[in-house]
Amino acid sequence: MTAPIDDELWSAVGDPTRRRILDLLLVGGGGTATTLSERLPVSRQAVAKHLGVLDRVGLVHGTPSGRERRYDVDEAQLARAVAQLTSVGATWDARLGRIKRLSEEIQRRRQG
């Protein structure tokens, strides 16, 4: 049996800016709202809000670093998200396969 889909997690990663933040954190080995905002077309305040959303769903964790918080990706939670996406993909592949078989059967009946 597969784990239930976490709607809050997928809502969080549904935003392209948050996905870009995750990418930057993974490549850079972490970062702050300030360092991330220097690489994104949004303000530091917007980045901080996005980081808050990612933190609430457990994809990142912030630790105090001077006057700011340094954020790092929680690799276990990211792996859980990837596993959920894989499960959803497999389910849709099966559904699309059934639709294709039904369509082919209808087509054969029309021709026969």
Side-chain angles (χ1 to χ4, degrees):
M1 184 171 165
T2 60
I5 300 301
D6 184 336
D7 290 332
E8 287 184 9
L9 176 71
W10 287 104
S11 179
V13 296
D15 183 276
T17 301
R18 288 192 282 267
R19 288 193 305 272
R20 180 71 179 129
I21 288 170
L22 286 170
D23 287 342
L24 291 172
L25 290 172
L26 286 166
V27 169
T32 65
T34 300
T35 61
L36 292 166
S37 68
E38 293 167 355
R39 301 184 64 198
L40 294 165
V42 295
S43 69
R44 183 206 168 285
Q45 291 78 10
V47 171
K49 287 182 180 182
H50 285 296
L51 286 166
V53 171
L54 293 170
D55 195 13
R56 277 192 300 281
V57 299
L59 283 169
V60 301
H61 295 292
T63 55
S65 178
R67 293 174 32 159
E68 290 199 78
R69 292 184 70 74
R70 177 177 174 75
Y71 289 88
D72 294 289
V73 174
D74 181 319
E75 293 183 20
Q77 184 73 333
L78 185 60
R80 188 171 79 86
V82 169
Q84 286 184 15
L85 181 58
T86 301
S87 174
V88 168
T91 300
W92 276 101
D93 285 346
R95 288 176 182 161
L96 292 172
R98 284 192 298 271
I99 290 169
K100 180 181 180 201
R101 286 189 299 277
L102 287 170
S103 175
E104 290 169 347
E105 179 61 27
I106 290 168
Q107 193 68 13
R108 277 194 299 275
R109 288 179 185 174
R110 286 184 179 165
Q111 292 174 354

